[in-house]
Amino acid sequence: MFDRTQWVLAGMSIALSVQLSQPVAAAAPVGKAVQTAQTNSIGVAEAALKEGLLLYQQGTVEAKKSAIVQFEIALKLFREASDSHGEAIALMGIGKAYSDLGEKLKAREYYSQSLPLFRAASDRSGEAVNLNNIGQVYSD
């Protein structure tokens, strides 16, 4: 039987898997150099997201703090690449790590930023996991 943390991790893993299975599209067709730079940026962002998830799953305070750093790197790169769905996943990861560290206000702040991005992307599972995370912050 899964406990709350395992459900949330499963949801984050699913959301990450869905994100990584999406084709990468250029923000604007202004040339191959821009497309290549954006593709590289998204690839680096996805790698940082994966690293953050691996660190988060270690469960220690230090690993979760390191996960936040990786999620923030991913967030910055997804924003630069105009990948709002990747941005939503990174924001949710930051929120979950802060929640686990007891910083509930920061967690709510990040969850609140990610929710409209999941909705805009029509990612119902990401939205559901995020809403569950928000509920957990209020119930703890």
Side-chain angles (χ1 to χ4, degrees), residues 62-99:
E62 285 306 311
K64 287 180 182 182
K65 288 179 181 179
S66 296
I68 290 169
V69 171
Q70 290 300 311
F71 290 143
E72 287 175 342
I73 291 168
L75 176 62
K76 179 180 182 275
L77 293 169
F78 282 130
R79 282 181 173 160
E80 288 174 1
S82 299
D83 183 336
S84 60
H85 190 245
E87 184 180 342
I89 294 169
L91 286 163
M92 185 171 63
I94 295 168
K96 182 61 182 153
Y98 275 127
S99 179

Side-chain angles (χ1 to χ4, degrees), residues 7-64:
W7 277 113
V8 171
L9 284 174
M12 285 177 65
S13 296
I14 291 167
L16 178 59
S17 297
V18 169
Q19 167 62 22
L20 296 179
S21 69
Q22 302 289 324
V24 175
V30 293
K32 206 163 188 97
V34 171
Q35 289 176 337
T36 302
Q38 184 181 33
T39 301
N40 290 342
S41 178
I42 290 175
V44 174
E46 289 171 347
L49 198 61
K50 283 182 183 179
E51 180 64 23
L53 186 57
L54 291 172
L55 287 163
Y56 175 85
Q57 289 172 337
Q58 290 178 16
T60 66
V61 170
E62 285 306 311
K64 287 180 182 182

